[in-house]
Amino acid sequence: MGIIVPVLTLVFLLFTKLSHGASNPRVILVGGSVGSWKVPDSPNNTLNHWAENNRFKVGDFIVWKYDMKVDSVLQVTKEDYESCSTANPLKQYNDGDTKVELDKSGPYFFISGAPGNCAKGEKITLVVLAERKSGGGGAPQVSPDTAQTPSPAPAPGAAHNAAAGLKVGSRWFLTAVVIGLAMA
């Protein structure tokens, strides 16, 4: 048993580091390629179609690459997004290599600052998923993953399971495994 505990501790620390690595912020190029910030070729090929197929997390960075002589990026309110109003942007970027940190959950609205481009479809809505908090208390976080599939309520009289809610790969799961193996 003398060598088992240090080895299990090392394994636990390794898995903990690996599970944290998955939550590092990402740098994501808008549209997935340079030059995507433009008027779309067709209504079926908009940046919103691209955004709907991606998951954005708090802490991610979104990058636009564009010709700063002819275009810009404006972060706007939902109302200005819908009306394509460039009059009062929340933030304006015109450097051709714009990097924006998604620092909170919820929707972000961006439109082109070039005259007429937003009305032609050069705009994007990004929805940033709420961070999942570990531990108890508070209301459950709602995200696109969980919004359509409510969790079933436990059956009356169901036995309490101390491991319920522990995801494989989470710190608490790994801690339970290490403790269980050390006690075996």
Side-chain angles (χ1 to χ4, degrees):
M1 180 114 166
I3 194 161
I4 291 176
V5 173
V7 169
L8 291 175
T9 302
L10 182 60
V11 169
F12 168 73
L13 292 173
L14 177 64
F15 280 123
T16 301
K17 178 65 180 165
L18 291 174
S19 70
H20 284 299
S23 64
N24 286 340
R26 302 169 298 163
V27 177
I28 303 166
L29 187 60
V30 169
S33 63
V34 173
S36 293
W37 187 241
K38 62 181 183 175
V39 173
D41 301 332
S42 78
N44 296 328
N45 190 26
T46 68
L47 288 173
N48 281 329
H49 287 105
W50 171 81
E52 289 167 2
N53 291 314
N54 287 279
R55 299 268 188 243
F56 303 100
K57 301 181 301 184
V58 172
D60 284 347
F61 289 89
I62 302 300
V63 176
W64 283 261
K65 303 271 188 184
Y66 54 94
D67 184 350
M68 66 183 192
K69 295 177 197 145
V70 297
D71 210 345
S72 62
V73 177
L74 306 179
Q75 184 174 352
V76 295
T77 64
K78 180 179 182 183
E79 293 77 20
D80 286 346
Y81 175 87
E82 291 171 348
S83 66
C84 286
S85 174
T86 60
N88 297 305
L90 300 172
K91 294 182 182 169
Q92 181 172 350
Y93 307 95
N94 55 12
D95 60 358
D97 189 12
T98 298
K99 185 176 184 180
V100 174
E101 180 179 7
L102 304 175
D103 58 359
K104 64 184 187 320
S105 62
Y108 286 74
F109 302 96
F110 298 95
I111 63 174
S112 170
N117 281 13
C118 176
K120 295 175 187 169
E122 188 179 350
K123 58 185 183 175
I124 188 170
T125 301
L126 303 174
V127 178
V128 178
L129 301 176
E131 293 183 77
R132 293 182 186 233
K133 306 234 188 284
S134 60
Q141 297 290 326
V142 176
S143 71
D145 294 334
T146 59
Q148 301 299 320
T149 314
S151 311
H160 175 70
N161 182 349
L166 295 181
K167 287 193 292 187
V168 174
S170 73
R171 274 185 290 175
W172 299 114
F173 176 81
L174 294 171
T175 302
V177 168
V178 170
I179 292 171
L181 288 173
M183 297 178 106

